[in-house]
Amino acid sequence: MSSPPAIPRFGHEVRSTAFLAAPLVAGHVATGLIGFVDSVIAGHHGTNTLAAVAVGTAIFWLPLMVPMGTLMAVPPSVSQLDGEGRHAEVGPLFRQALWLAAGLGALLLVLLTLLANALGPLGIAPDILPGATAFLHGIRWGVPALTLYFCMRYLSDGIHWTLPTMLFGFGGLLVLVPTGYALAFGWGPFPERGAGGLGLASAIMMWLQALGFATYLAMSKRFARYALFSRFDPPRWSKIGPLLRTGLPIGVTVTMEGSLFVVTALLIGRLGEIEAAAHQIAINVAALCFMVPFGLAEATTVRVGNAVGRGLGSAGVRRAGFAGLALVLATQTLSGIALLLGHDHVVRAYTQDAAVASLAGALLLYAAAFQFPDGIQALSAGALRGLKDTRVPMFLAAAAYWGVGMALGAGLGLGLGWGPKGMWIGLIAGLSVAAVLLGGRFLRTSRRVTTPLAGRLSQ
């Protein structure tokens, strides 16, 4: 009988996770900087444009979270196959995942078209409505490309090759900055489009990223043994079904968290353009900070999934999870301190409007307060994805984000008239409860992992 594989030392696991996560974090920061670029260009175009982009971005990301989260089933699936040495099965799985991504992208394009024409009944302030509608009309055309891009990126991440995530992320920024400025302000043959121009520029960037990633996967020697594009496979439910069963609860969980922020933005958008613009600045900065624990969570998903595939048992799985947690605690300490000490300096990069800057600076102090719970809940969710434990965490997330976070935020912000600050207190409460519930779930679930097949836990 062969001896069980050796469990990596904790220090080695921390270094492996950090090495894997660094390009992911950089890639997510690049993705976050897309919102930063849109917000800065919009802010210099005018407060109304900034508020319109805030609302349009919220409407765009809310439904997108379902396919984005659903496709997060790809990294643990690929990493477990890779850990077990079943490399020949990666290509067929990837081709079915592409069908899933294409279908989700098409459905989302239709949905965003309908939403763009139905913003009025949502109660968005009339002065923001035209710009938000124009932004959605532009950016919706990039959705099919974005879902395909996520699928290709998650495949690469799942086999421990995360550098393309960083390179294509920053490559997208090189496209967005000049294109967004030209289409928003007008340049040469391009008329001034304001928020609508920024939406169209984002769509152009998404298509170039997807085409670039596909070309890279097809030509790279690193992926040659997986034969990703060696043949055409029609969609097969026997392959797509398991991806959906694992991924759809992830999509709902991600949506539960993201929608807490999105609906908060929409409710604040009812208060006026100053409140909406200030919230957009603060939430954009908070989102940039979140890219670090999000990247670490994705790396932890891969490390936990790989530990399951290699048969490292409960001790190996927990070591992978705790290594990610140690890194998250360190990074969130730094981001919290940065927000506490530098919030006024950050706001000046976005706007010169004194009223907007004052409120945004105050909201960033609330953002500093939720750095730890936000990081811990993201890391715990990522570790659970590595175990393919997704259904119960979905219900835990719903209870935390909506049963606590939104109920408290709406009660304080709108019911008691505390405005944006009350809504942000709700965000802090929801994230804190999620951190406790999801962290506890990982401790319980990881205890049951004993064999290479134990990742197929009962949900």
Side-chain angles (χ1 to χ4, degrees):
M1 180 180 297
S2 60
S3 60
I7 298 172
R9 293 181 180 274
F10 186 73
H12 178 272
E13 188 66 50
V14 170
R15 288 192 296 274
S16 297
T17 303
F19 181 80
L20 181 65
L24 284 175
V25 170
H28 283 306
V29 169
T31 301
L33 287 173
I34 292 172
F36 172 79
V37 169
D38 281 344
S39 296
V40 169
I41 293 175
H44 285 83
H45 190 268
T47 299
N48 180 269
T49 304
L50 177 59
V53 169
V55 173
T57 300
I59 295 289
F60 172 74
W61 280 103
L62 180 57
L64 181 63
M65 290 172 189
V66 175
M68 182 180 73
T70 300
L71 292 170
M72 284 183 182
V74 174
S77 300
V78 169
S79 65
Q80 288 193 17
L81 291 175
D82 193 51
E84 295 172 11
R86 297 157 59 189
H87 305 302
E89 299 178 39
V90 172
L93 174 69
F94 170 66
R95 289 188 286 275
Q96 296 305 308
L98 284 177
W99 281 112
L100 177 59
L104 292 171
L107 288 173
L108 191 54
L109 174 61
V110 173
L111 178 60
L112 284 175
T113 300
L114 297 175
L115 286 175
N117 298 316
L119 292 184
L122 293 177
I124 303 301
D127 53 343
I128 300 175
L129 188 59
T133 301
F135 179 84
L136 284 174
H137 278 152
I139 200 171
R140 60 180 170 156
W141 298 111
V143 167
L146 188 58
T147 55
L148 291 171
Y149 173 79
F150 278 134
C151 182
M152 293 182 283
R153 208 203 81 186
Y154 289 151
L155 165 85
S156 185
D157 295 347
I159 62 169
H160 288 70
W161 184 237
T162 55
L163 186 61
T165 295
M166 179 182 71
L167 296 179
F168 284 103
F170 282 102
L173 284 176
L174 295 178
V175 173
L176 181 61
V177 171
T179 307
Y181 187 88
L183 295 180
F185 285 89
W187 179 79
F190 303 108
E192 181 179 354
R193 295 175 179 267
L198 285 170
L200 186 59
S202 297
I204 293 171
M205 177 205 67
M206 292 170 190
W207 276 107
L208 291 176
Q209 282 181 314
L211 293 172
F213 215 128
T215 302
Y216 170 74
L217 291 180
M219 299 180 64
S220 173
K221 292 181 180 180
R222 181 179 292 271
F223 293 91
R225 69 173 174 175
Y226 300 108
L228 300 177
F229 300 107
S230 62
R231 67 174 187 266
F232 174 83
D233 288 343
R236 295 188 175 94
W237 180 252
S238 62
K239 299 293 184 181
I240 295 176
L243 284 173
L244 270 176
R245 283 193 293 274
T246 299
L248 194 56
I250 300 175
V252 174
T253 300
V254 172
T255 302
M256 287 297 101
E257 178 187 3
S259 61
L260 177 65
F261 290 88
V262 169
V263 174
T264 295
L266 295 177
L267 292 176
I268 292 175
R270 300 168 69 117
L271 302 176
E273 67 178 29
I274 290 177
E275 289 82 356
H279 174 76
Q280 172 65 5
I281 291 171
I283 206 65
N284 184 242
V285 174
L288 280 173
C289 293
F290 180 69
M291 295 302 104
V292 178
F294 191 33
L296 287 167
E298 287 194 330
T300 302
T301 296
V302 174
R303 294 298 298 170
V304 168
N306 191 260
V308 172
R310 292 168 59 196
L312 298 184
S314 176
V317 165
R318 285 191 162 199
R319 183 154 295 183
F322 292 155
L325 178 61
L327 290 167
V328 159
L329 293 177
T331 60
Q332 296 307 90
T333 298
L334 294 176
S335 61
I337 292 173
L339 290 175
L340 283 174
L341 300 180
H343 56 280
D344 288 332
H345 300 288
V346 172
V347 168
R348 293 193 192 103
Y350 286 86
T351 183
Q352 300 301 316
D353 188 309
V356 173
S358 176
L359 181 55
L363 293 179
L364 283 180
L365 295 178
Y366 290 88
F370 69 55
Q371 290 304 298
F372 279 112
D374 200 17
I376 293 170
Q377 63 88 26
L379 191 284
S380 300
L384 288 167
R385 288 195 293 269
L387 294 171
K388 296 187 179 180
D389 181 16
T390 59
R391 189 161 61 95
V392 171
M394 173 182 67
F395 293 112
L396 296 178
Y401 301 141
W402 285 86
V404 176
M406 180 51 64
L408 181 62
L412 295 177
L414 302 180
L416 297 182
W418 291 16
K421 295 179 181 179
M423 297 296 298
W424 277 66
I425 291 174
L427 296 179
I428 295 171
L431 293 171
S432 298
V433 173
V436 172
L437 294 178
L438 295 176
R441 175 67 181 177
F442 174 71
L443 292 177
R444 289 191 299 273
T445 305
S446 61
R447 189 179 298 121
R448 292 150 45 194
V449 180
T450 56
T451 70
L453 296 180
R456 301 170 188 172
L457 299 168
S458 61
Q459 307 295 310

